[in-house]
Amino acid sequence: MEQLGKRSGPAARLDTILRHLSPRLGTAPALTSIPTSAQVSAAPQPGRFRYTLDNNVLTPEQRQFYEDNGYLLVKKLVSDEDIERFRKEFIRICKKEVSLPGAMIMKNEALKSEYGQSENIVNKVQDFQEDEELFRYCTLPQVLKYVECFTGPNIMAMHTMLINKLPDSDKQTFLHPMHQDLHYFPFRPADRIVCSWTAMERADETNGCLVVQPGTHKEPLKPHAYPQREGKTNKLFHGIIDYDENGPKVHLVMEKGDTVFFHPLLIHGSGINRTSGFRKSISCHFASSEGYYIDVKNTIQEDLEKELQEMVQKKYSLPSMKLRDIWNFRARLVQGERINL
């Protein structure tokens, strides 16, 4: 795995941007593989299985469940020790003891006067690929062992998040409407992308666990927009337009360390946290590096590109960047060879 250095200041920030936007120009150090026990064929599957690759990790029953439902829950995959390390690093980020280049820290600023710089106001740390401690999650052998069953051996970490779902109210500030993650992604093929989502503490209906609609990974990408409802909505918390609320859903009750893997077209979301505590999770979207970027102009993803371009320009004072360049900046190799992405 590429080793993260300790960088700070404008020069380091520019180095980070150039390193990610120019991966073939010699700006990045050589990357090496992380070994995994999964032996996977990256050849297309002409027969029974479409969404998983031949491997010696998943049982036939697990493969069939993912094929049918678009997700797979693995119990107690991540250790308490690792989760405690991620939690401590998150607290350090909340207290601004850690500089995190390129990350988006989402906060409820209305609570700052009451709680100061603490986990009580931070809802999400997005794009933590430059934080050596949190990025360890994306390199855990027990996680990559499963990821390889969906992506093949050349694996990119494309999108990283640590979510700290804050106590909410009827305003539903932190509710994430039902959506498909592929809406955010300008890379394909969808079947070689998978999300790994690990509960850092028990997640259930009371604190806003994940809600999935089984089998919807077989449906096409749908148009998304901000939900039409009262109350504040977090940036980029888009939902499916005209979503049918009466469709069958499954609430994924998970214990600390449980991990769910799911397809980027699976319709899912999360409710509000009705408790007085937090609901933490850590996740990464992985993709085969053999995938490719697409131009979203004149597609249902075009408005998303414009919104992200405006956010990047405002945050970093950079010239306009295409959606693919923004994602190329986020991406990091975790196993095998960086080919296209």
Side-chain angles (χ1 to χ4, degrees):
M1 185 188 75
E2 173 191 1
Q3 294 299 311
L4 291 172
K6 296 184 181 300
R7 298 181 290 270
S8 61
R13 178 79 190 113
L14 180 60
D15 173 71
T16 299
I17 293 171
L18 292 176
R19 178 167 62 83
H20 285 277
L21 293 185
S22 306
R24 302 179 187 276
L25 299 181
T27 55
L31 300 171
T32 56
S33 301
I34 292 177
T36 175
S37 61
Q39 299 299 316
V40 177
S41 167
Q45 304 299 297
R48 176 179 171 188
F49 299 110
R50 168 182 170 181
Y51 302 103
T52 57
L53 301 168
D54 288 339
N55 64 85
N56 61 4
V57 176
L58 302 179
T59 66
E61 292 77 16
Q62 287 176 315
R63 287 189 75 178
Q64 193 61 55
F65 187 90
Y66 188 88
E67 294 285 325
D68 295 340
N69 296 282
Y71 71 95
L72 179 68
L73 179 60
V74 180
K75 305 294 288 183
K76 206 60 182 174
L77 185 64
V78 179
S79 71
D80 289 352
E81 291 77 13
D82 278 323
I83 289 174
E84 180 61 16
R85 287 180 61 174
F86 301 144
R87 188 192 69 79
K88 286 181 177 179
E89 184 70 357
F90 172 71
I91 299 299
R92 293 181 66 214
I93 292 169
C94 292
K95 293 180 178 180
K96 294 191 172 183
E97 295 174 0
V98 177
S99 175
L100 204 53
M104 181 185 297
I105 313 295
M106 299 180 67
K107 304 176 184 178
N108 185 341
E109 294 289 351
L111 300 175
K112 190 172 180 179
S113 60
E114 182 178 356
Y115 295 107
Q117 297 293 343
S118 71
E119 66 177 327
N120 296 73
I121 69 168
V122 178
N123 180 50
K124 182 191 294 187
V125 176
Q126 184 166 286
D127 302 327
F128 59 65
Q129 70 274 359
E130 297 299 324
D131 184 276
E132 185 173 4
E133 183 62 22
L134 291 185
F135 195 75
R136 284 183 53 256
Y137 172 77
C138 306
T139 70
L140 292 175
Q142 66 269 37
V143 171
L144 290 179
K145 178 177 73 172
Y146 282 93
V147 169
E148 191 175 351
C149 300
F150 307 102
T151 65
N154 299 310
I155 305 173
M156 299 294 295
M158 302 298 295
H159 184 222
T160 52
M161 290 192 299
L162 193 155
I163 296 174
N164 182 47
K165 191 178 277 285
L166 301 174
D168 211 340
S169 65
D170 291 336
K171 293 181 180 180
Q172 301 184 359
T173 303
F174 304 114
L175 178 146
H176 199 156
M178 300 298 277
H179 64 283
Q180 297 164 299
D181 286 340
L182 195 66
H183 162 68
Y184 298 99
F185 303 156
F187 44 90
R188 303 290 188 273
D191 293 345
R192 298 285 77 85
I193 303 169
V194 69
C195 180
S196 170
W197 192 101
T198 298
M200 293 176 64
E201 51 211 322
R202 178 179 169 84
D204 54 35
E205 291 186 57
T206 65
N207 63 4
C209 65
L210 284 180
V211 182
V212 300
Q213 194 168 345
T216 50
H217 64 304
K218 300 176 184 179
E219 299 179 10
L221 179 62
K222 303 177 186 297
H224 289 60
Y226 284 107
Q228 298 297 313
R229 57 178 173 81
E230 294 182 8
K232 179 184 176 182
T233 299
N234 274 318
K235 280 295 231 181
L236 298 177
F237 274 35
H238 299 165
I240 294 171
I241 297 174
D242 298 325
Y243 173 70
D244 181 8
E245 294 289 348
N246 297 317
K249 303 181 189 69
V250 174
H251 288 78
L252 296 183
V253 176
M254 299 169 64
E255 301 296 336
K256 182 179 180 181
D258 291 355
T259 302
V260 61
F261 298 91
F262 60 91
H263 192 279
L265 282 169
L266 180 73
I267 296 175
H268 67 287
S270 64
I272 68 174
N273 179 3
R274 300 182 185 277
T275 72
S276 59
F278 308 108
R279 192 228 67 190
K280 290 185 179 65
S281 60
I282 188 168
S283 68
C284 179
H285 282 88
F286 297 93
S288 167
S289 75
E290 297 169 55
Y292 53 90
Y293 287 103
I294 63 169
D295 187 350
V296 300
K297 188 175 177 59
N298 298 320
T299 74
I300 58 175
Q301 293 177 270
E302 186 173 21
D303 288 343
L304 171 75
E305 180 175 52
K306 292 177 182 176
E307 183 178 1
L308 271 172
Q309 285 173 331
E310 291 172 0
M311 291 175 64
V312 168
Q313 284 179 292
K314 183 178 179 180
K315 185 174 178 64
Y316 301 117
S317 300
L318 291 172
S320 180
M321 298 169 64
K322 290 185 177 181
L323 189 61
R324 60 178 293 169
D325 292 329
I326 295 172
W327 281 97
N328 198 3
F329 160 68
R330 290 167 161 166
R332 268 191 74 175
L333 181 72
V334 291
Q335 180 181 290
E337 181 184 357
R338 187 168 192 173
I339 298 172
N340 295 323
L341 295 183

